[in-house]
Amino acid sequence: MDMVSLNIVGGILVSICRDMGVTLMRTSYSTIFSESLDFTCGLALPTGELVATGDFCPSMIGGMPLLLRSCVQEIALEDLEEGDVILHNDPYRGGLHTPEHTFFKPVFVDGTLIGFAVAIGHVCEVGGMAPAGFAGEATEVFHEGLRVPPVKIKRAGKDVDDIWRLLLANVRTPRYNYGDFRALIAAIDLGERRMAELARKHGVDAFRENVTALMDYSERRMRAEIEKIPDGRYLFEDCMEDDGIEDKVYTIRAEVTVNGSDLIVDYHGSSPQAKGPINGTLGVAHGAAYNAVLQLTDSTIPKNSGCFRPIRVLAEPGTVVNVNFPGPSVGGNTETHCRIANVVMGALAPGLKERSAATDGASHSNFLFGGTDNRTGEFFCCYDLTPVGWGGRSFADGNDAVGGINGNCPHIPVEVFEYRFPWHVEEFKLVDGSGGPGTYRGGLSLSKTVRCTDTEMTFSYMSDRQKVSPWGIHGGHEGGRAELFIKRDGSGEWLTITQAFNKVSPSKFANVPIKPGDRIKISSPAGGGWGPPEQRDPVLVKEDLLDGFITPEQAQTVYGLR
């Protein structure tokens, strides 16, 4: 294809995926979709190869190719009919973790299967031992909610009622789950129509040729990017501070080998799988490696299976990056994914110094709660993410208070949060001085304090970086750590969860009771610094001091401001 036609076709495919995402956002019931956009949408070939995706959640973009290939190997393509919709959320069948639900719909043109429309969304409530899906103390997948292999939720355009009843009977919020499932189906309905229209317009054979050419083009561009990295073996490691069950560190190690236009990410040396729910699935191991490479290469490369062909991922089963059944994994795609991605980026930093960055906060400080609404008598759940600071770069400071590297998810606005749920937000601010000092400093983290208004509930938490600081790079310093405190109504003392409830981990736990008047204070981790702080422009140091981004002590002792 000529480049003009290639870019037109690629642009149309991406536009379809974006429209699918907008449909999902606007028709969903839960704030995790309507506000935080924790989903992604894509189009694929019958083989499971990804041909286009929207720019939504990076962890799902990278995880989608393995997930789709796993599904199409299990279902019988010859038994598919127009109007079928298949649902899947099994972490051990290429999935990412139990809350991530994948809906995909076959696309037919004149009776010929040409591909699938796909939507992956993090469904807030999935059953299990804790409301809102994050059981920070789970020790097996059965604690983490209902696990669904690829099954038809619609057959030939009609609901499979038995499947719907089964799904909704196993969750605390059946009305909200029903609405979110319908929104996911609406997204793939749109994708199916638009993909079929495009194929009819160009002809099925020409459409296939165009899509093949687009993936080949992405592969060539990615190979050109990898060739810019000096050949060699690059090593880096970091850790998860604990798993919620045992108070010990879990190592995540990456050895990245570059040979011409080929790149291998090998996680050998990573810790054996944890008892608690921080384990990544194989889909997470793949998705995190792809995410890291996409962060370091040209952002205009079309994101499809072609650009992932030069990247090979090796993850030993039974480790923290490739959990064996029935090990828990709900935290793997939110907390461990960002740690894995940053380890791969840290490994490649010596070969890509000008493109490298210090780690972001690399945690979403997942705040989960649920209870019975006094106004309606209906059970509610919420999955709330907290923004972090991003790492300093070779040309700029890290961004302040944005979604972690694997999420790209906005924070729920204060007004929506207070209207939808029984909390009052008393404080919402940047954490002064939290960004890692450097020639380019790390981005600042966020702190918020919330007070329970009138409803008893339970809350759970899944986070990290309360014990181990986000790292700086090329002489940059560490970023600030995360914190979580609770103050009981009538008490004047802020306590950690370990102090208040004798939990093993201050950052990973489940089902803590909350009563009206209780307060919770959450502070996310900040980004690390890039380059030696003493080389920072004094003008920038003064501006940071005036803006409150650094403390007077940091200005004097770290940056040497006089």
PDB file of all heavy atoms in Angstrom, residues 6-25:
ATOM      1  N   LEU A   6      -2.327   3.736   3.560  1.00  0.00           N
ATOM      2  CA  LEU A   6      -2.027   2.992   4.784  1.00  0.00           C
ATOM      3  C   LEU A   6      -2.419   3.801   6.018  1.00  0.00           C
ATOM      4  O   LEU A   6      -3.054   3.289   6.946  1.00  0.00           O
ATOM      5  CB  LEU A   6      -0.535   2.658   4.827  1.00  0.00           C
ATOM      6  CG  LEU A   6      -0.080   1.669   5.907  1.00  0.00           C
ATOM      7  CD1 LEU A   6      -0.605   0.282   5.604  1.00  0.00           C
ATOM      8  CD2 LEU A   6       1.438   1.651   5.979  1.00  0.00           C
ATOM      9  N   ASN A   7      -2.076   5.080   6.041  1.00  0.00           N
ATOM     10  CA  ASN A   7      -2.396   5.921   7.185  1.00  0.00           C
ATOM     11  C   ASN A   7      -3.891   6.206   7.287  1.00  0.00           C
ATOM     12  O   ASN A   7      -4.428   6.343   8.395  1.00  0.00           O
ATOM     13  CB  ASN A   7      -1.610   7.232   7.113  1.00  0.00           C
ATOM     14  CG  ASN A   7      -0.180   7.076   7.603  1.00  0.00           C
ATOM     15  OD1 ASN A   7       0.073   7.047   8.795  1.00  0.00           O
ATOM     16  ND2 ASN A   7       0.755   6.949   6.672  1.00  0.00           N
ATOM     17  N   ILE A   8      -4.566   6.292   6.151  1.00  0.00           N
ATOM     18  CA  ILE A   8      -6.016   6.493   6.184  1.00  0.00           C
ATOM     19  C   ILE A   8      -6.705   5.284   6.810  1.00  0.00           C
ATOM     20  O   ILE A   8      -7.555   5.418   7.696  1.00  0.00           O
ATOM     21  CB  ILE A   8      -6.558   6.769   4.766  1.00  0.00           C
ATOM     22  CG1 ILE A   8      -6.113   8.159   4.297  1.00  0.00           C
ATOM     23  CG2 ILE A   8      -8.085   6.655   4.755  1.00  0.00           C
ATOM     24  CD1 ILE A   8      -6.471   8.457   2.860  1.00  0.00           C
ATOM     25  N   VAL A   9      -6.342   4.088   6.347  1.00  0.00           N
ATOM     26  CA  VAL A   9      -6.946   2.868   6.895  1.00  0.00           C
ATOM     27  C   VAL A   9      -6.626   2.731   8.380  1.00  0.00           C
ATOM     28  O   VAL A   9      -7.504   2.441   9.209  1.00  0.00           O
ATOM     29  CB  VAL A   9      -6.469   1.632   6.113  1.00  0.00           C
ATOM     30  CG1 VAL A   9      -6.907   0.351   6.828  1.00  0.00           C
ATOM     31  CG2 VAL A   9      -7.017   1.646   4.701  1.00  0.00           C
ATOM     32  N   GLY A  10      -5.351   2.962   8.733  1.00  0.00           N
ATOM     33  CA  GLY A  10      -4.972   2.869  10.141  1.00  0.00           C
ATOM     34  C   GLY A  10      -5.718   3.866  11.002  1.00  0.00           C
ATOM     35  O   GLY A  10      -6.166   3.547  12.108  1.00  0.00           O
ATOM     36  N   GLY A  11      -5.867   5.096  10.480  1.00  0.00           N
ATOM     37  CA  GLY A  11      -6.593   6.119  11.229  1.00  0.00           C
ATOM     38  C   GLY A  11      -8.056   5.773  11.421  1.00  0.00           C
ATOM     39  O   GLY A  11      -8.635   6.009  12.490  1.00  0.00           O
ATOM     40  N   ILE A  12      -8.677   5.188  10.399  1.00  0.00           N
ATOM     41  CA  ILE A  12     -10.083   4.791  10.515  1.00  0.00           C
ATOM     42  C   ILE A  12     -10.238   3.691  11.568  1.00  0.00           C
ATOM     43  O   ILE A  12     -11.162   3.741  12.396  1.00  0.00           O
ATOM     44  CB  ILE A  12     -10.621   4.306   9.154  1.00  0.00           C
ATOM     45  CG1 ILE A  12     -10.695   5.487   8.170  1.00  0.00           C
ATOM     46  CG2 ILE A  12     -11.984   3.659   9.303  1.00  0.00           C
ATOM     47  CD1 ILE A  12     -11.017   5.079   6.752  1.00  0.00           C
ATOM     48  N   LEU A  13      -9.352   2.723  11.564  1.00  0.00           N
ATOM     49  CA  LEU A  13      -9.441   1.631  12.534  1.00  0.00           C
ATOM     50  C   LEU A  13      -9.297   2.146  13.966  1.00  0.00           C
ATOM     51  O   LEU A  13     -10.039   1.752  14.869  1.00  0.00           O
ATOM     52  CB  LEU A  13      -8.366   0.579  12.228  1.00  0.00           C
ATOM     53  CG  LEU A  13      -8.561  -0.224  10.942  1.00  0.00           C
ATOM     54  CD1 LEU A  13      -7.307  -1.028  10.617  1.00  0.00           C
ATOM     55  CD2 LEU A  13      -9.760  -1.161  11.060  1.00  0.00           C
ATOM     56  N   VAL A  14      -8.326   3.041  14.186  1.00  0.00           N
ATOM     57  CA  VAL A  14      -8.146   3.613  15.517  1.00  0.00           C
ATOM     58  C   VAL A  14      -9.358   4.452  15.907  1.00  0.00           C
ATOM     59  O   VAL A  14      -9.820   4.430  17.057  1.00  0.00           O
ATOM     60  CB  VAL A  14      -6.857   4.451  15.582  1.00  0.00           C
ATOM     61  CG1 VAL A  14      -6.775   5.230  16.896  1.00  0.00           C
ATOM     62  CG2 VAL A  14      -5.627   3.561  15.435  1.00  0.00           C
ATOM     63  N   SER A  15      -9.916   5.183  14.956  1.00  0.00           N
ATOM     64  CA  SER A  15     -11.096   5.998  15.233  1.00  0.00           C
ATOM     65  C   SER A  15     -12.276   5.130  15.661  1.00  0.00           C
ATOM     66  O   SER A  15     -13.044   5.500  16.568  1.00  0.00           O
ATOM     67  CB  SER A  15     -11.473   6.818  13.999  1.00  0.00           C
ATOM     68  OG  SER A  15     -12.633   7.574  14.215  1.00  0.00           O
ATOM     69  N   ILE A  16     -12.425   3.985  15.035  1.00  0.00           N
ATOM     70  CA  ILE A  16     -13.483   3.054  15.438  1.00  0.00           C
ATOM     71  C   ILE A  16     -13.291   2.649  16.895  1.00  0.00           C
ATOM     72  O   ILE A  16     -14.238   2.643  17.699  1.00  0.00           O
ATOM     73  CB  ILE A  16     -13.489   1.813  14.528  1.00  0.00           C
ATOM     74  CG1 ILE A  16     -13.903   2.188  13.098  1.00  0.00           C
ATOM     75  CG2 ILE A  16     -14.418   0.738  15.087  1.00  0.00           C
ATOM     76  CD1 ILE A  16     -13.721   1.069  12.093  1.00  0.00           C
ATOM     77  N   CYS A  17     -12.055   2.318  17.261  1.00  0.00           N
ATOM     78  CA  CYS A  17     -11.772   1.893  18.636  1.00  0.00           C
ATOM     79  C   CYS A  17     -12.045   3.016  19.630  1.00  0.00           C
ATOM     80  O   CYS A  17     -12.567   2.780  20.726  1.00  0.00           O
ATOM     81  CB  CYS A  17     -10.325   1.424  18.747  1.00  0.00           C
ATOM     82  SG  CYS A  17      -9.931  -0.023  17.734  1.00  0.00           S
ATOM     83  N   ARG A  18     -11.702   4.236  19.252  1.00  0.00           N
ATOM     84  CA  ARG A  18     -11.972   5.371  20.147  1.00  0.00           C
ATOM     85  C   ARG A  18     -13.466   5.593  20.319  1.00  0.00           C
ATOM     86  O   ARG A  18     -13.945   5.879  21.430  1.00  0.00           O
ATOM     87  CB  ARG A  18     -11.302   6.626  19.596  1.00  0.00           C
ATOM     88  CG  ARG A  18      -9.780   6.604  19.722  1.00  0.00           C
ATOM     89  CD  ARG A  18      -9.150   7.778  19.000  1.00  0.00           C
ATOM     90  NE  ARG A  18      -7.696   7.789  19.165  1.00  0.00           N
ATOM     91  CZ  ARG A  18      -6.867   8.487  18.404  1.00  0.00           C
ATOM     92  NH1 ARG A  18      -7.348   9.246  17.412  1.00  0.00           N
ATOM     93  NH2 ARG A  18      -5.564   8.448  18.614  1.00  0.00           N
ATOM     94  N   ASP A  19     -14.212   5.464  19.245  1.00  0.00           N
ATOM     95  CA  ASP A  19     -15.669   5.619  19.341  1.00  0.00           C
ATOM     96  C   ASP A  19     -16.280   4.519  20.205  1.00  0.00           C
ATOM     97  O   ASP A  19     -17.255   4.760  20.940  1.00  0.00           O
ATOM     98  CB  ASP A  19     -16.294   5.590  17.946  1.00  0.00           C
ATOM     99  CG  ASP A  19     -16.038   6.869  17.168  1.00  0.00           C
ATOM    100  OD1 ASP A  19     -15.572   7.852  17.774  1.00  0.00           O
ATOM    101  OD2 ASP A  19     -16.293   6.887  15.948  1.00  0.00           O
ATOM    102  N   MET A  20     -15.711   3.332  20.124  1.00  0.00           N
ATOM    103  CA  MET A  20     -16.167   2.259  21.009  1.00  0.00           C
ATOM    104  C   MET A  20     -15.960   2.655  22.465  1.00  0.00           C
ATOM    105  O   MET A  20     -16.834   2.446  23.312  1.00  0.00           O
ATOM    106  CB  MET A  20     -15.397   0.968  20.699  1.00  0.00           C
ATOM    107  CG  MET A  20     -15.700   0.355  19.343  1.00  0.00           C
ATOM    108  SD  MET A  20     -14.499  -0.926  18.867  1.00  0.00           S
ATOM    109  CE  MET A  20     -14.822  -2.192  20.106  1.00  0.00           C
ATOM    110  N   GLY A  21     -14.791   3.226  22.753  1.00  0.00           N
ATOM    111  CA  GLY A  21     -14.502   3.640  24.114  1.00  0.00           C
ATOM    112  C   GLY A  21     -15.426   4.737  24.611  1.00  0.00           C
ATOM    113  O   GLY A  21     -15.862   4.727  25.773  1.00  0.00           O
ATOM    114  N   VAL A  22     -15.735   5.706  23.745  1.00  0.00           N
ATOM    115  CA  VAL A  22     -16.653   6.777  24.132  1.00  0.00           C
ATOM    116  C   VAL A  22     -18.037   6.208  24.428  1.00  0.00           C
ATOM    117  O   VAL A  22     -18.710   6.608  25.383  1.00  0.00           O
ATOM    118  CB  VAL A  22     -16.712   7.849  23.029  1.00  0.00           C
ATOM    119  CG1 VAL A  22     -17.824   8.857  23.314  1.00  0.00           C
ATOM    120  CG2 VAL A  22     -15.377   8.565  22.913  1.00  0.00           C
ATOM    121  N   THR A  23     -18.471   5.255  23.613  1.00  0.00           N
ATOM    122  CA  THR A  23     -19.754   4.593  23.853  1.00  0.00           C
ATOM    123  C   THR A  23     -19.772   3.916  25.214  1.00  0.00           C
ATOM    124  O   THR A  23     -20.739   4.036  25.983  1.00  0.00           O
ATOM    125  CB  THR A  23     -20.034   3.557  22.753  1.00  0.00           C
ATOM    126  OG1 THR A  23     -20.105   4.217  21.490  1.00  0.00           O
ATOM    127  CG2 THR A  23     -21.335   2.807  23.013  1.00  0.00           C
ATOM    128  N   LEU A  24     -18.704   3.216  25.528  1.00  0.00           N
ATOM    129  CA  LEU A  24     -18.603   2.524  26.814  1.00  0.00           C
ATOM    130  C   LEU A  24     -18.616   3.526  27.965  1.00  0.00           C
ATOM    131  O   LEU A  24     -19.325   3.342  28.967  1.00  0.00           O
ATOM    132  CB  LEU A  24     -17.326   1.683  26.835  1.00  0.00           C
ATOM    133  CG  LEU A  24     -16.921   0.998  28.129  1.00  0.00           C
ATOM    134  CD1 LEU A  24     -18.053   0.178  28.717  1.00  0.00           C
ATOM    135  CD2 LEU A  24     -15.696   0.113  27.892  1.00  0.00           C
ATOM    136  N   MET A  25     -17.845   4.594  27.827  1.00  0.00           N
ATOM    137  CA  MET A  25     -17.780   5.600  28.885  1.00  0.00           C
ATOM    138  C   MET A  25     -19.153   6.213  29.155  1.00  0.00           C
ATOM    139  O   MET A  25     -19.562   6.387  30.312  1.00  0.00           O
ATOM    140  CB  MET A  25     -16.794   6.696  28.492  1.00  0.00           C
ATOM    141  CG  MET A  25     -16.720   7.859  29.451  1.00  0.00           C
ATOM    142  SD  MET A  25     -15.730   9.237  28.830  1.00  0.00           S
ATOM    143  CE  MET A  25     -16.812   9.858  27.535  1.00  0.00           C
TER     144      MET A  25
END
